Amino acid sequence: MRKDTGVGGALGKTGFAWAVFEWARNPYYILIVIYVFAPYFARDIIGADLLASGELDGLDPETAKQTANAQGQAAIASVTKWAGLIAALTAPFLGAALDRGGLRKPIVAVMLGTIAVMSWLLWYAIPGDEGLPTAVVMGILVIAYVNYTYSEVTHNSMLTAAGRPDRLPMISGLGLGLGNLAAVLMFTGLVGFFVLPAMIQWPFAEPQFGIDLDRFEHMRIAGPLCAVWLAIFSVPFFLYAEDPGTKGASWITAIQEGAATVMRTLREAAHYRQLMKFLIARMFYADGMAALLALAAVYVSLFLEWGFLEMTCYALFGSMWAFGGGIFGGWLDTKVGVKTALFIEVIAMIIAFALQLSLTMDTMLFGLIDNFQVWDGLVFQTASDISYLALVSVVAVAATASISSSRAMLVALAPPGRSGEFFGLYAIAGTITVWMGPLLVELFTTGFNSQRIGMASIAILFAIGLSVLAFVKVEKPG
């Protein structure tokens, strides 16, 4: 028999087992997709190989560097585009099949195994002819990204069986918090074992385990590290999480019936008007959030000239606060309801984002205050540096909390027994328009010849998302 509701709370056996899944899996996204590997691949493989090829020799050095960086960013954008397109076209059908198919843990095992293998192969992404061809690395990233999305849909579809209905927001928030806490530990290890020993011979005289920073091994190691972490820490999920699938059910039949149901759901969207409005709202505010998180690092490196150590500390600091964001999101949902919680979280992101854009190396608050040096330490020496870092905490908490609240709102609005199907549509809302944020930034940046105006255009997506969300009626308690 299918189990659509669970027992216990976030610290219960099944609830915690569901949450610990994100402790095991989410570091892949944080380290590989956002902070460590993707910037390395864009700058030190795509860009560096292009410069070394001689194709840009006719350009002045600054123009050549900008061109190389643009090609690197385009490669990462291409990976995201293809992975997002594949996931958007297939994830809803996967979700619908999950609602009708057999046990889900074996499916998750295949997905996580694929992510682990692809992650391990990133160690061989080396600049020049020594490493894997660029096209192969991009293919690896696409495969891993698609399986990451599939695993998210499958894992989310198991949320209703993880605990009591009134405890699901806290269980969801705990999962996000644990995922970011795991990333904090990994970043601490990268800095403590490799980066600081190379820079200041502390806490060790030299980088540990024979890691060679000149060969970018401190960044390439993120792939195998995520693979091993995933393999070890996903075990509790498989042992103790509640599997709501039906033992012995035919997956072939489930896929056929699920595909028919998805098409019927799309045709009958008017029957689920509140849920569809929410998915449209999420499509916009989630795209704005994704663009903000993805491009903020580029903004910081250009305007505040943060180096590798600053960027690593930035990622570490943001992940620490994101851990609290997951817990905060679950708590806020229970206090004010998921819709009000989402408004609070998105508006907090917008305010913090605007204050971040007010900072440059010379001034703060859009020129009202001159920047000044606060101390002569190793990192974050000026008031602009420290202010930007402080605002990262607000963005991290609000962004992570909004993810938790969005998932809880989907559960509240989805028809009983069809959460997997609608988590598939939820995945569409988060992937099918991933190009909108970067496109807006590109158009406004070139049109106004201003990085800050380009980044500010992301607020358009937030505004549209909030406007649609205002008309969503949540009939179930959040």
Side-chain angles (χ1 to χ4, degrees):
M1 296 293 294
R2 186 173 301 279
K3 185 176 180 64
D4 290 323
T5 59
V7 297
L11 298 182
K13 183 173 69 172
T14 57
F16 189 79
W18 185 94
V20 83
F21 177 93
E22 301 201 75
W23 162 277
R25 187 202 58 167
N26 289 19
Y28 173 86
Y29 191 87
I30 296 171
L31 269 71
I32 304 302
V33 178
I34 300 180
Y35 290 117
V36 177
F37 188 84
Y40 156 69
F41 182 66
R43 180 184 61 247
D44 299 310
I45 294 185
I46 301 294
D49 286 354
L50 182 59
L51 289 171
S53 70
E55 293 182 28
L56 306 180
D57 287 351
L59 303 175
D60 64 86
E62 185 62 28
T63 302
K65 181 179 179 181
Q66 292 177 358
T67 303
N69 289 341
Q71 289 296 321
Q73 291 178 355
I76 295 297
S78 179
V79 168
T80 305
K81 175 190 68 179
W82 285 110
L85 181 61
I86 293 169
L89 294 176
T90 56
F93 299 96
L94 169 65
L98 291 172
D99 285 332
R100 295 156 180 82
L103 297 178
R104 303 177 192 183
K105 287 183 181 178
I107 304 297
V108 175
V110 173
M111 297 168 182
L112 296 189
T114 302
I115 296 171
V117 172
M118 296 300 106
S119 186
W120 184 277
L121 290 175
L122 295 179
W123 170 258
Y124 303 100
I126 308 170
D129 297 330
E130 182 181 356
L132 295 172
T134 298
V136 172
V137 177
M138 293 177 68
I140 289 171
L141 292 172
V142 169
I143 292 171
Y145 199 116
V146 170
N147 275 273
Y148 188 94
T149 302
Y150 287 168
S151 70
E152 183 176 14
V153 172
T154 309
H155 179 241
N156 284 344
S157 75
M158 298 169 68
L159 175 58
T160 55
R164 300 198 315 269
D166 62 326
R167 296 291 87 193
L168 296 183
M170 285 302 298
I171 295 173
S172 174
L174 177 62
L176 288 168
L178 289 175
N180 283 281
L181 180 60
V184 167
L185 296 179
M186 289 189 181
F187 282 125
T188 302
L190 290 175
V191 172
F193 284 106
F194 310 132
V195 180
L196 288 180
M199 294 184 64
I200 59 174
Q201 292 72 56
W202 184 89
F204 305 101
E206 59 184 18
Q208 298 297 288
F209 311 114
I211 291 296
D212 185 353
L213 270 66
D214 292 334
R215 289 175 53 81
F216 308 105
E217 291 181 352
H218 59 303
M219 289 181 276
R220 289 161 46 206
I221 195 66
L225 178 63
C226 289
V228 173
W229 188 277
L230 178 59
I232 293 174
F233 290 110
S234 60
V235 172
F237 167 79
F238 290 105
L239 290 178
Y240 303 115
E242 186 69 46
D243 192 329
T246 302
K247 187 176 182 179
S250 170
W251 279 107
I252 295 177
T253 302
I255 292 171
Q256 293 172 342
E257 293 180 354
T261 300
V262 169
M263 302 309 296
R264 185 172 64 250
T265 299
L266 292 175
R267 290 194 300 267
E268 299 175 354
H271 293 181
Y272 311 103
R273 292 182 62 187
Q274 302 310 317
L275 190 144
M276 289 301 177
K277 283 190 290 186
F278 163 64
L279 290 177
I280 292 171
R282 179 185 175 271
M283 180 177 70
F284 285 100
Y285 73 70
D287 285 347
M289 181 179 69
L292 169 59
L293 297 178
L295 299 175
V298 176
Y299 179 81
V300 170
S301 65
L302 290 174
F303 274 80
L304 301 183
E305 296 186 358
W306 286 5
F308 180 80
L309 182 57
E310 286 91 349
M311 294 301 295
T312 305
C313 293
Y314 161 45
L316 176 63
F317 184 78
S319 295
M320 290 173 61
W321 281 98
F323 166 73
I327 308 300
F328 174 76
W331 173 83
L332 190 62
D333 292 343
T334 61
K335 292 297 182 182
V336 300
V338 289
K339 179 178 175 179
T340 302
L342 272 174
F343 266 99
I344 293 172
E345 291 150 2
V346 175
I347 290 172
M349 259 192 293
I350 294 173
I351 294 173
F353 176 43
L355 291 173
Q356 285 178 326
L357 291 179
S358 76
L359 303 170
T360 71
M361 293 185 63
D362 300 317
T363 64
M364 299 181 292
L365 293 179
F366 298 105
L368 294 178
I369 303 174
D370 290 335
N371 190 23
F372 57 91
Q373 184 166 338
V374 176
W375 70 316
D376 193 24
L378 193 62
V379 292
F380 310 125
Q381 298 177 348
T382 70
S384 286
D385 290 338
I386 296 172
S387 298
Y388 193 99
L389 191 67
L391 290 166
V392 165
S393 64
V394 179
V395 174
V397 169
T400 310
S402 73
I403 296 172
S404 176
S405 298
S406 296
R407 292 196 305 203
M409 190 163 184
L410 189 284
V411 171
L413 292 172
R418 300 180 67 183
S419 60
E421 175 185 339
F422 283 98
F423 267 117
L425 296 179
Y426 180 89
I428 277 189
T431 59
I432 201 169
T433 54
V434 292
W435 48 268
M436 282 199 303
L439 177 61
L440 277 177
V441 173
E442 178 186 4
L443 292 177
F444 277 75
T445 300
T446 55
F448 291 91
N449 196 30
S450 169
Q451 291 274 342
R452 297 165 84 183
I453 294 177
M455 286 290 288
S457 68
I458 295 173
I460 296 174
L461 298 177
F462 285 127
I464 296 174
L466 287 177
S467 298
V468 177
L469 184 63
F471 293 95
V472 176
K473 297 178 181 179
V474 182
E475 297 177 358
K476 297 181 182 179

